[in-house]
Amino acid sequence: MTTWPPVQKAHQTMIFSAVESRRLYRQVADQMRGLIESGELAAGSRLPAERELAQMLGVSRPTVREALIVLEVEGFIDIRMGSGIYVTARKVPASDMPPEDFEGPFELLRARAVVECAVAEEAARLAKPEHILILDDNLARMAAALDDRRQALALDRDFHVIVSGIIANQTLNRFVGSIHDMRMTPYFEKLASYFENKDTWRAAMEEHRAIRDAIAAGDPAAARAAMRAHLDQSQLRLSESFEEETTDGSIPAAWRRAGGV
């Protein structure tokens, strides 16, 4: 295995530059894609760990992770869990790239936190016994579908739409449904494929149960807190590292050459 020299100090020149606000993960993906297309990063070379990329670019690790998923779907990199992230020789037509206004998974989760916490709070004020029965049916069906990702995902969507439906506002209900439908993209599904399994779906179901219990108790504050906890945990589940963390701050030769080390 090749051992690369240490990452350069902050005052030294790097091939990456800090990005400015404009869908940060797209800017990160653009920088990496440019290095690959120019040959600075050759097929088979290993990228730095997420932590190091985030430091170089001046962005969060979730932003880096969203960028990496875009590049993997496009065919520029290969993410090997527990090993690392490698440049590939594959290329795809520009028409297959996501549109400029495409929302990343973590951006979507942040939007859900704003909307759905308020929805759960209001639902706890308005819920009737029949609403709780519908939630209970959803939870029972989800418990039987933990091994079936497609079914579990559909039931997960249904749960959140049911909670929204308690408020009896069709515009809000349609909005919540559309937010969840945005998860059905190659980019979100690729990210989820690394981390979703029977255990994570069971954890999500139990978080749903806590939301259900708070709504059934007519406790708006508890319902809001339970929804926030669920969405926070959802983000944590998607925030596991793709690779073993390096301890020597290694970077590929392209970074060394550009940095003048």
Side-chain angles (χ1 to χ4, degrees), residues 4-214:
W4 306 107
V7 175
Q8 304 158 57
K9 301 298 183 182
H11 66 275
Q12 293 179 305
T13 303
M14 287 185 195
I15 198 166
F16 282 135
S17 59
V19 295
E20 299 177 359
S21 180
R22 179 194 63 87
R23 275 217 162 75
L24 292 178
Y25 82 95
R26 293 304 300 271
Q27 294 185 67
V28 172
D30 289 347
Q31 286 198 38
M32 292 184 181
R33 189 188 301 109
L35 293 174
I36 295 169
E37 291 179 324
S38 70
E40 281 293 309
L41 293 175
S45 62
R46 182 182 178 185
L47 296 182
E50 288 178 27
R51 180 190 67 253
E52 295 169 17
L53 287 171
Q55 291 172 347
M56 291 174 182
L57 292 156
V59 298
S60 69
R61 288 180 66 172
T63 296
V64 169
R65 194 170 294 111
E66 287 177 326
L68 292 172
I69 287 297
V70 168
L71 292 174
E72 186 179 34
V73 172
E74 291 176 356
F76 288 103
I77 64 172
D78 180 24
I79 298 171
R80 304 174 193 170
M81 293 295 286
S83 173
I85 304 159
Y86 298 84
V87 178
T88 72
R90 298 190 305 272
K91 299 284 170 60
V92 296
S95 60
D96 289 346
M97 296 180 185
E100 181 64 28
D101 62 351
F102 171 76
E103 291 89 356
F106 293 97
E107 187 175 3
L108 182 59
L109 280 168
R110 288 191 293 272
R112 288 183 59 194
V114 172
V115 174
E116 294 195 63
C117 290
V119 166
E121 181 178 359
E122 186 66 11
R125 296 189 178 98
L126 301 174
K128 296 180 173 59
E130 55 266 31
H131 295 133
I132 307 307
L133 289 175
I134 297 171
L135 289 173
D136 287 343
D137 177 69
N138 173 274
L139 289 168
R141 287 188 291 134
M142 191 167 184
L146 298 179
D147 286 319
D148 184 339
R149 179 185 180 272
R150 290 287 178 183
Q151 184 67 7
L153 183 62
L155 289 166
D156 178 74
R157 178 192 186 279
D158 287 348
F159 177 87
H160 290 273
V161 172
I162 291 166
V163 171
S164 175
I166 293 172
I167 302 174
N169 183 301
Q170 287 304 311
T171 299
L172 183 59
N173 216 40
R174 184 165 56 250
F175 182 64
V176 170
S178 69
I179 289 178
H180 282 265
D181 290 340
M182 290 165 65
R183 295 186 299 171
M184 306 302 292
T185 67
Y187 310 97
F188 199 109
E189 290 201 2
K190 174 62 74 172
L191 178 61
S193 71
Y194 288 111
F195 307 114
E196 287 181 356
N197 53 54
K198 184 175 182 179
D199 291 335
T200 61
W201 281 118
R202 180 179 291 107
M205 181 188 67
E206 293 304 326
E207 291 155 19
H208 285 183
R209 196 178 305 281
I211 297 167
R212 175 266 181 212
D213 290 347

